[in-house]
Amino acid sequence: MADIVKQILAKPIQLADQVTQADDVATSFKQECAELKSKTERLVVLLRQAARASNDLYQRPTRRIIDDTEQALEMAMSIVTKCCAQGLMQRVFTIIPSASFRNLSSQLENSIVNVSWLLRVSATESGDEYLGLPPIAANEPILCFIWEHIAILYTGSVNDRSEAAASLTSLAKDNHRNGKLIVEEGGVGPLLKLLKEGKLEGQENAAKAIGLLGRDTESVEHMVHLGVCSVFVKILKEGSMKVQAVVAWAVSELSANYPKCQDLFHQHNIIRLLVSHLAFETVQEHSKYAIASKATSIHAVVFASNNNNRGSVTSVHKVNDNNDDVNHHHQHSVSTTGVSSKGRELEESVTKDYMKAMAARALWKLAKGNSSICRSITESRALLCFAVLLENGTEDIQYNSAMAVKEITAVAEQDSDLRKSAFKPNSPACKALVDQLVRIIEKEDLNLLIPCIRAIGNLARTFRVTETTMISPLVKLLDEREAEISNEAAIALAKFACNDNYLHMDHCKAIVSMGGAKHLIQLVFLGEKIVQSSALLLLCYIALHVPALLRSRHT
């Protein structure tokens, strides 16, 4: 960058020298030329100082400032050349309006202030001194603040760089335009460097800023080009858990705003790293598991022992539903996923919970509409993790887990291969997850109810004829519930009753036997508009498939 800056400065320095030399031989407007010479000399001193400090100069404002300075010096050279005209007639007819000298003097003064500001803002130790607003940023003051903070990211101390990242985070939060300016003015590169090499606080601030800057396609593409994926991988493998959690959040933001980067994250094995964080102290790292057939809690899980007795199996852990201390019977083992486990056990529980919440959120955003990522997630321990966390996690963990499950099942509904491989009826992890979804629907947990209803509906074609436990709680939601909830229940039940479902006859009979027809008729005639059409559609499926049963129930 130093060579580029020197090239930028070469021409204005040459022009300034030429203006100074021409001023010495001016034959007209000598007083005005003397004033121009004085300002040009001050300016060239600053320009040479900038050339010597080219390693430290922040390139974006340097280009803008030097371009304006060069224009001012070209105008000065033009005017001074006229003042050096030879011969009587030329001197008589050389007319330069006084306003031209005033305007030029003002421009040179602005250039002096701009270059002075550039040198101060690029200094390695600017301290707490307020640098003021340079004339070049008068029409867009926020640009000046962005330049100052990015310059500190390039040349400041460790603490100053952390504070600069925090300031850029605040600016990006204010509005989308600020975020675009930070990206356009070269802020992403030094933020990634700070995230990769900085101290804990600086890394957190940098990760927050990067997540906020990725609000549009162009910005995320720019980040990808600068290597954001590899930096995120490094942190998720080796970083402090606090920073890892913020990086997981940033992954979710970039994935949500630019779905094309889902596959890029996948190629960098970020799915595997996120699942490892989700599984930490949630399920045993190398466990084989089975679900007891009469289990009423996800805690009734049999985990295989990986200790000294290779062939032995641990006993079934029966834990009451109100006991949230699940982690004691999920023993931690050394990770084989590449994520460092050093010190993770010593982290505060709040940090561990935040890490799981953000890992679940990232998986939610990455899974949306992406079959290959959903396949990677379901081939890992993630489904069992979601089942455990839906029961025992904090509110944020539960919600993000429910949303992730909803997105995965939505993809599985359209992808028969994924549906058949990931949601086999005899799969212990699948059964554990479905049981937990049904339990949430039965409890009518409003925070989780709608994503869980949708997830069950998405899986409607995976259930066998004997599996009807999920139909009863859905039918109950048709009876005098909020219109939005009844609508979601009707949509989910329609997926059981539609022609695409091989067992639609059996499911329709189950819906009628549980009183669903009566509720649907009431919703069609008396329900709110939002639920009437979905209720009518479900009622039509039932009337089409089991008309005799429907008549017998209502004669």
Side-chain angles (χ1 to χ4, degrees), residues 137 326 423 516:
V326 63
F423 296 98

Side-chain angles (χ1 to χ4, degrees), residues 226-237:
L226 291 178
V228 67
C229 295
S230 59
V231 176
F232 280 2
V233 166
K234 177 179 172 63
I235 297 298
L236 289 173
K237 279 184 179 180

Side-chain angles (χ1 to χ4, degrees), residues 25-63:
V25 294
T27 56
S28 58
F29 301 101
K30 291 185 177 181
Q31 183 177 348
E32 289 84 351
C33 287
E35 182 182 348
L36 293 182
K37 178 183 177 181
S38 174
K39 291 189 175 181
T40 303
E41 287 175 339
R42 289 167 56 197
L43 179 57
V44 78
V45 169
L46 294 171
L47 290 173
R48 287 198 168 94
Q49 186 178 343
R52 290 192 296 271
S54 56
N55 284 322
D56 299 324
L57 290 185
Y58 170 27
Q59 189 173 331
R60 289 290 295 192
T62 297
R63 283 188 178 276

